[in-house]
């Protein structure tokens, strides 16, 4: 702008405009809702200082030095190319049919980034290119050259007002000038769309400094959560649907009692993707129950240098989601017994007058009572107009106490609450019954939270929860008890996923924690969907499925995928040498004994092969992640990976994230990216419309390898009742031990020709599944002789939690 002949006033005005333009560009750079910026400014302000203020990933005109540099180096797939330059090439080749190879081309009037882009693209096509400006002395002689294709870019004085990046162009009469403008505009929009897909976080990952030996806690202070939240984007890409990016489901082989590091692999994988390969990725994990935390398992935040931090909050109360579920669950339990008590001790009229009281001379139904009237077929809104028969029908739920399936819950392992007697106080007037406590994460409300996608959907699901049957065999729901609104109020904050981070500062959603035995054992649909929006189309969401492929993954596909409408691109199957040796007849693994390797041949790889086959039933490619322990030999690692690939795995990769962080899982991340790029042929295992018994049998035979199933009389009666009540078309959620493919925990490897006993069948109607109980299942864990709480303590000086993992 310092051209000759300009006045000081003109220079000052242009300088002011230049500063304002750069300031606006910098603001747009930080706006996560904007994915591309085309500069439409006067040519005298089109300086390098302005152009290079723009972030290269938002430079849809390809004018920044970084994008031009990548183009020159041959990395055109990683940069934006000038849409005008591309339009010139495409029109010459496709519209006119000019073969550019060997052609001599004279570019007249192009300058700056456009000139550089044109020269580069023409040279790629095999052309010899010369550039010349309109004020050049040799212009006339150059224009008179024969056998030269001339491309004219007229200066501003010759064309109508338009974008500075798209001047009028003429090819000696070969192409109409407006064709170039229109095609360039279309290519610019194409770049804009591509920018949204290439969306990259400006995430400042934390640097690890691994120690040896690896400490029980990585010792990494977390980045400020507000920074993580801002860097991953407070807003999703505009206009994007729910189905974005790639999603991977993490499962594992049949584990030892201590687990095989599925959470650790999940964390290591996203650390590798985001911190080391610069790929947007989110981990979605369940929130751990405090029962196992203080019982046998210890912390569930991962391990070594692949952990969620702050791990104390992760493993303890976090934001209180589990406590909200406990409060809501127990409110509903109290409502059931209270209603039975009042119905047993009051007349129809007294009961009705208390349910619909006269307040300030006015009696009216609440909203949920009006819904009950509608369900009963009573089309009245004035409480005084109901007949005696309608009053009785409305006021009495007539719950059959022997059919109550709703239990109280507590987030503590307490074996002495597995069977209790309630109602023995004097005020309960002799009404008592046998009941039990489940662990809080076994509550159907937890399963509802994990499968819902909105507050309205959660409220509807809570209302549909069946707690018992009445004496005529009809289901009694939370809506019937009038408690749905109160349950929703208690759960209104729990529905929001919790944002945390890994040791390397990559984002993690922690949300929901359904018991993987009697529920589907997966983190929430909401966390997956929000994460998919945030990572963009080329990003990855790694969501963890509880237990092995036979339980957590099967339920992920048949239950969670049906509820969410999402389909994973790849399955990561976690294996360890110690587990495979145990499945091959080696020693068992416990919390306080060292695992001595006594077998050199990994006979237990049959279990890994079976789990791969289970994955293949659903048509999704599987990558085996071998979680390496320091005691594993190179020969063992190579053998497991080779056998996994022979069994049909897309790839099998040893992982070292525990000792070095995401750097140790870069090979796994690359394998996952490659597998996810392949076409998935996903299919459900069964049609939900087939009878309940047939769905159970399909899972038992196809997944577990059972010869057949055997239903107890009680299980058959429940199936008949649920079918009669209209619940026969729900998916199946098998409640089975996770320590074996069969119903017997001590049967390792791949058990064959066994009969799978179904002792009972229950229903989670609000969550939306039927769950058969295989053999004897406990929904309340007990404490071992030496629980983990012996090692957990608080440093009262620093408030540092010790011994949690």
């Amino acid at each position: 702008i310092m051209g000759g002949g300009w006045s000081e006033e003109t220079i000052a005005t242009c300088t002011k405009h230049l500063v304002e333009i750069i300031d606006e560009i910098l603001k747009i750079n930080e706006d996560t809702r904007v994915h591309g910026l085309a500069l439409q400014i006067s040519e005298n302000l089109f300086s390098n200082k302005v152009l290079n203020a723009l972030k290269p990933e938002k430079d849809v005109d390809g004018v920044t030095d970084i994008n031009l540099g990548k183009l020159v180096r041959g990395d055109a797939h990683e940069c934006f190319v000038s849409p005008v330059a591309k339009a010139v090439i495409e029109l010459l080749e496709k519209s006119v049919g000019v073969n550019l190879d060997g052609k001599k081309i004279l570019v007249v009037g192009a300058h700056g980034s456009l000139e550089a882009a044109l020269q580069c693209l023409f040279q790629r096509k095999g052309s010899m290119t010369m550039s010349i400006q309109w004020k050049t002395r040799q212009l006339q002689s150059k224009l008179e050259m024969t056998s030269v294709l001339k491309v004219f870019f007229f200066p501003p004085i010759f064309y109508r007002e338009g974008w500075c990046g798209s001047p009028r162009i003429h090819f000696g009469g070969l192409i109409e000038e407006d064709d170039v403008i229109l095609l360039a505009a279309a290519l610019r929009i194409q770049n804009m769309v591509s920018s949204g897909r290439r969306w990259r976080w400006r995430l400042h990952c934390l640097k690890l400094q691994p120690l040896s030996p690896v400490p029980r806690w990585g010792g990494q202070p977390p980045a400020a959560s507000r920074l993580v939240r801002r860097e991953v984007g407070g807003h999703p890409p505009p206009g994007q649907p729910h189905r974005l990016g790639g999603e991977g489901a993490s499962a594992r082989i049949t584990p030892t009692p201590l687990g095989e590091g599925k959470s650790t692999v999940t964390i290591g994988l996203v650390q590798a993707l985001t911190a080391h390969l610069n790929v947007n990725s989110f981990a979605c994990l369940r929130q751990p129950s405090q029962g196992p935390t203080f019982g046998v398992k210890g912390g569930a935040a991962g391990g070594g240098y692949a952990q969620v931090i702050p791990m104390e909050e992760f493993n303890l109360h976090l934001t209180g989601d589990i406590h909200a579920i406990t409060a809501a669950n127990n409110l509903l339990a109290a409502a059931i017994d209270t209603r039975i008590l009042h119905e047993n001790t009051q007349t129809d009229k007294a009961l009705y007058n208390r349910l619909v009281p006269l307040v300030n001379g006015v009696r009216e139904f609440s909203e949920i009572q009006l819904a009950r009237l509608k369900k009963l077929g009573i089309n009245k809104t004035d409480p005084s107009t109901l007949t005696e028969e309608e009053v009785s029908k409305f006021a009495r739920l007539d719950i059959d106490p022997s059919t109550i399936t709703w239990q109280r819950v507590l987030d503590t392992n307490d074996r002495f609450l597995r069977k209790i007697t309630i109602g023995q106080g004097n005020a309960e007037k002799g009404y008592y019954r046998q009941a039990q406590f489940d662990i809080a994460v076994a509550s159907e409300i937890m399963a509802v939270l994990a499968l819902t996608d909105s507050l309205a959907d959660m409220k509807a699901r809570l209302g549909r929860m069946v707690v018992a049957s009445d004496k005529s065999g009809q289901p009694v729901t939370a809506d019937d008890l009038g408690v749905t609104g109160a349950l929703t109020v208690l759960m209104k904050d729990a529905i929001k996923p919790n944002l945390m981070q890994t040791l390397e500062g990559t984002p993690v959603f922690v949300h929901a924690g359904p018991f993987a035995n009697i529920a589907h054992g997966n983190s929430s649909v909401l966390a997956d969907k929000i994460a998919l929006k945030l990572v963009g189309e080329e990003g990855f969401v790694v969501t963890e499925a509880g237990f092995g492929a036979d339980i957590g993954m099967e339920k992920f596909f048949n239950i969670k995928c049906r509820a969410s409408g999402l389909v994973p691109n790849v399955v990561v199957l976690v294996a360890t040498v110690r587990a495979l040796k145990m499945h091959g007849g080696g020693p068992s693994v416990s919390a306080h004994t060292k695992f001595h390797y006594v077998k050199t041949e990994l006979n237990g790889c049959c279990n890994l092969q079976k789990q791969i086959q289970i994955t293949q039933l659903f048509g999704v490619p599987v990558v085996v992640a071998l979680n390496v322990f320091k005691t594993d030999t190179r020969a063992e690692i190579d053998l497991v990976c080779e056998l996994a690939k022979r069994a049909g795995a897309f790839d099998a990769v040893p992982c070292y994230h525990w000792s070095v962080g995401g750097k140790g899982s870069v090979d796994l991340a690359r394998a996952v990216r490659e597998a996810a790029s392949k076409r998935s042929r996903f299919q459900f295992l069964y049609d939900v419309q087939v009878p309940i018994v047939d769905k159970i049998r399909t899972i038992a035979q196809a997944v577990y390898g059972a010869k057949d199933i055997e239903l107890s009389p009680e299980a058959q009666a429940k199936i008949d009742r649920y079918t009669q009540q209209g619940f026969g078309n729900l998916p199946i959620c098998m409640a089975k031990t996770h320590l074996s493919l069969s119903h017997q925990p001590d049967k390792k490897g791949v058990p064959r020709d066994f009969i799978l006993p179904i002792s009972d069948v229950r229903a989670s109607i609000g969550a939306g599944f039927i769950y058969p109980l295989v053999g004897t299942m406990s929904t309340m864990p007990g404490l071992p002789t030496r629980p983990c709480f012996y090692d957990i303590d608080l440093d009262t000086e620093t408030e540092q939690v010790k011994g949690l993992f």
Side-chain angles (χ1 to χ4, degrees):
I1 64 174
M2 299 295 288
W6 284 25
S7 67
E8 291 184 7
E9 183 181 353
T10 301
I11 293 173
T13 301
C14 288
T15 302
K16 178 183 176 184
H17 290 330
L18 185 67
V19 172
E20 290 174 351
I21 290 167
I22 291 174
D23 186 52
E24 286 301 314
I25 291 173
L26 293 176
K27 288 179 182 177
I28 291 171
N29 282 345
E30 299 304 317
D31 190 338
T32 58
R33 297 169 295 180
V34 177
H35 291 88
L37 176 62
L39 295 173
Q40 186 175 350
I41 56 179
S42 71
E43 192 176 48
N44 61 338
L45 292 178
F46 217 78
S47 69
N48 281 339
K49 194 168 185 180
V50 172
L51 301 183
N52 289 308
L54 180 59
K55 286 173 65 173
E57 57 265 36
K58 295 189 178 185
D59 170 27
V60 294
D61 275 327
V63 295
T64 60
D65 289 347
I66 292 178
N67 276 324
L68 285 171
K70 289 182 177 179
L71 177 62
V72 171
R73 288 198 308 268
D75 298 330
H77 63 286
E78 293 184 2
C79 66
F80 289 118
V81 179
S82 165
V84 176
K86 286 177 70 176
V88 170
I89 301 295
E90 286 197 24
L91 286 171
L92 283 173
E93 286 189 322
K94 297 178 181 177
S95 296
V96 182
V98 176
N99 181 4
L100 295 174
D101 188 20
K103 277 282 186 298
K104 295 179 180 179
I105 298 175
L106 176 64
V107 178
V108 183
H111 54 83
S113 60
L114 178 58
E115 179 186 7
L118 276 168
Q119 284 188 346
C120 186
L121 293 178
F122 275 130
Q123 287 169 8
R124 295 264 172 82
K125 297 294 182 179
S127 304
M128 292 178 286
T129 311
M130 297 176 287
S131 291
I132 192 168
Q133 299 304 318
W134 287 103
K135 294 181 180 179
T136 304
R137 291 178 182 178
Q138 301 88 1
L139 177 62
Q140 188 62 36
S141 62
K142 297 289 186 183
L143 294 178
E144 292 174 355
M145 293 173 63
T146 59
S147 69
V148 174
L149 179 63
K150 303 175 185 68
V151 181
F152 297 99
F153 288 79
F154 295 111
I157 192 171
F158 291 114
Y159 63 83
R160 300 185 301 272
E161 183 181 354
W163 286 357
C164 187
S166 300
R168 304 304 183 188
I169 305 168
H170 187 61
F171 303 107
L174 290 176
I175 302 172
E176 294 294 331
E177 58 184 40
D178 283 345
D179 290 346
V180 180
I181 303 302
L182 292 173
L183 180 56
L187 291 171
R188 183 178 290 107
I189 296 300
Q190 189 178 74
N191 281 353
M192 193 79 74
V193 172
S194 178
S195 177
R197 290 175 175 171
R198 293 181 185 178
W199 190 32
R200 289 286 183 269
W201 297 333
R202 296 185 64 197
L203 196 63
H204 302 289
C205 295
L206 304 176
K207 299 299 182 184
L208 287 179
Q209 294 181 332
L211 303 175
S212 183
V214 176
R216 299 186 80 182
W217 174 64
Q220 181 86 297
S225 59
R226 59 182 173 80
L227 294 179
V228 177
R229 184 171 63 249
R230 187 184 69 188
E231 288 168 349
V232 301
H235 303 277
Q240 300 272 21
H242 279 312
R243 185 69 188 98
L244 297 176
E247 183 176 22
S250 169
R252 67 182 173 201
I253 64 171
T254 305
T256 65
L258 299 184
E260 306 318 308
K262 181 159 46 60
S263 299
T264 311
V265 171
T266 299
I267 299 304
L269 174 56
V270 294
Q271 288 180 170
L273 284 166
T274 301
H276 298 273
L277 296 183
N278 195 30
V279 176
N280 294 353
S281 71
F282 243 104
C284 290
L285 303 180
R286 292 178 297 162
Q287 183 180 349
S289 165
Q290 289 177 192
T293 296
F294 291 102
V296 175
K297 193 174 184 296
Y305 287 105
Q307 288 191 44
V308 178
I309 55 173
M311 58 92 73
E312 295 88 353
E313 282 79 358
F314 176 86
N315 281 296
L316 298 175
H317 309 277
L318 201 54
T319 52
D321 292 351
I322 293 179
H323 301 319
I325 289 164
T326 301
N329 183 100
N330 293 343
L331 175 63
L332 181 52
I336 296 167
D337 289 304
T338 297
R339 187 59 175 263
I340 294 173
L341 172 68
H342 290 311
E343 287 188 25
N344 285 344
T345 56
Q346 297 180 51
T347 64
D348 288 351
K349 184 177 180 180
L351 189 61
Y352 183 70
N353 287 340
R354 287 182 170 87
L355 288 171
V356 192
L358 191 66
V359 180
N360 297 325
V362 178
R363 173 180 285 184
E364 59 184 7
F365 293 115
S366 67
E367 184 178 335
I368 200 164
Q369 288 176 326
L370 289 171
R372 173 161 169 76
L373 287 170
K374 185 177 180 180
K375 177 182 176 181
L376 294 172
I378 303 173
N379 299 314
K380 295 178 180 179
T381 58
D382 185 349
S384 63
T385 61
L386 267 64
T387 65
E388 288 186 4
E389 182 182 355
E390 290 171 338
V391 164
S392 178
K393 193 176 179 181
F394 169 81
R396 294 199 176 275
L397 299 181
D398 254 351
I399 295 172
D400 180 354
S402 67
T403 66
I404 295 173
T405 55
W406 196 262
Q407 310 296 347
R408 288 161 173 82
V409 299
L410 184 71
D411 197 29
T412 302
N413 289 4
D414 191 344
R415 68 179 69 246
F416 290 96
L417 293 178
R418 291 172 178 170
K419 193 68 68 178
I420 60 173
T421 302
I422 61 171
Q424 292 189 329
N426 293 332
E428 281 63 64
K429 304 178 181 179
Y431 167 66
Y432 61 89
R433 66 180 181 88
Q434 270 203 340
Q436 68 184 59
F437 270 79
D438 295 335
I439 195 160
V441 290
S443 170
E444 183 179 348
I445 296 178
M446 176 64 89
V448 165
L449 176 66
L451 293 173
T452 192
D453 61 8
S454 67
L455 268 172
D457 178 65
M458 182 176 70
K459 183 177 181 180
R461 287 175 178 271
L462 292 173
R464 290 198 301 267
M465 293 188 306
V466 174
V467 299
S469 296
D470 63 21
K471 291 174 183 174
S472 64
Q474 294 306 304
V476 177
T477 66
D479 268 351
D480 293 325
L481 286 158
V483 74
T484 305
L487 300 181
T488 308
V489 168
L490 286 170
M491 293 293 296
K492 70 179 178 66
D493 291 324
I495 197 173
K496 302 169 186 175
N498 307 295
L499 177 62
M500 300 191 75
Q501 59 188 288
T502 69
L503 278 171
E504 295 189 56
T506 66
V508 179
F509 272 141
V510 179
H511 197 219
F515 208 44
N517 279 344
I518 68 165
H520 58 86
N522 285 271
S523 62
S524 76
V525 166
L526 268 174
D528 288 355
K529 286 189 172 183
I530 295 172
L532 282 166
K533 277 180 169 285
L534 291 173
V535 298
E537 188 170 339
E538 294 183 359
F540 280 83
V541 173
V542 183
T543 185
E544 182 186 15
F547 294 152
D550 57 313
I551 304 182
M553 190 202 71
E554 181 270 314
K555 295 175 183 178
F556 175 90
F557 287 141
N558 284 318
I559 299 174
K560 188 178 179 184
C561 287
R562 278 191 168 98
S564 68
L566 302 176
V567 175
N569 301 80
V570 60
V571 168
V572 177
L573 190 67
V574 180
T576 61
V577 168
R578 73 176 185 183
L580 295 174
K581 288 196 169 186
M582 179 191 72
H583 283 294
S588 61
V589 180
S590 64
H592 302 292
T593 58
K594 291 185 178 181
F595 189 79
H596 298 289
Y597 299 112
V598 296
K599 296 179 73 67
T600 56
E601 187 177 352
L602 294 174
N603 296 326
C605 279
C606 60
N607 185 272
L608 173 59
Q609 292 163 339
K610 173 63 176 175
Q611 302 283 0
I612 293 170
Q613 291 167 10
I614 293 170
T615 305
Q616 292 172 330
L617 293 173
F618 298 92
V620 181
V622 56
V623 173
V624 172
L626 183 63
N627 189 20
V628 176
F629 284 56
K630 61 183 179 182
T631 48
D632 300 343
T633 67
R634 185 74 251 173
E636 290 168 341
I637 293 169
D638 291 344
L639 177 60
V640 171
C641 291
E642 176 61 28
L643 291 175
K645 284 185 270 192
R646 278 192 220 163
F650 178 85
D651 204 349
V653 184
C655 304
Y656 304 90
H657 43 263
W658 184 84
S659 57
V660 296
K663 183 172 66 174
S665 279
V666 168
D667 288 343
L668 172 64
R670 290 195 175 110
V672 167
R673 289 182 72 181
E674 188 177 354
S677 68
K678 305 301 178 183
R679 184 171 174 269
S680 175
R681 294 184 293 274
F682 176 78
Q683 61 182 6
F684 293 115
L685 186 64
Y686 53 79
D687 184 344
V688 290
Q689 301 301 326
V690 304
I692 292 175
V693 173
D694 291 346
K695 288 181 282 196
I696 297 172
R697 182 175 285 110
T698 296
I699 295 172
Q701 293 178 335
V703 178
Y704 307 152
K707 184 177 181 181
D708 204 353
I709 61 172
E710 182 179 71
L711 296 172
S712 71
E714 183 179 5
Q716 184 63 64
K718 293 280 189 69
I719 289 173
D720 294 342
R721 181 195 302 169
Y722 296 141
T723 303
Q724 180 268 325
Q725 291 176 342
F727 304 137
N729 62 346
L730 294 176
I732 301 300
C733 184
M734 301 289 276
K736 181 186 78 71
T737 179
H738 61 289
L739 297 175
S740 172
L741 285 165
S742 74
H743 57 289
Q744 297 173 292
D746 59 332
K747 298 294 183 183
K748 305 301 181 182
V750 182
R752 302 181 189 280
D753 297 326
F754 60 93
I755 302 297
L756 193 74
I758 309 299
S759 59
D760 196 5
V761 177
R762 298 176 187 172
S764 291
I765 305 305
F769 53 75
I770 302 292
Y771 65 98
L773 272 64
V774 179
T776 302
M777 287 297 303
S778 173
T779 52
M780 170 58 83
L783 291 172
T785 304
R786 191 186 189 281
C788 289
F789 61 63
Y790 275 84
D791 301 310
I792 297 172
D793 200 1
L794 181 72
D795 186 319
T796 56
E797 295 294 326
T798 64
E799 296 189 12
Q800 175 90 31
V801 176
K802 300 183 294 184
L804 201 59
F805 183 72

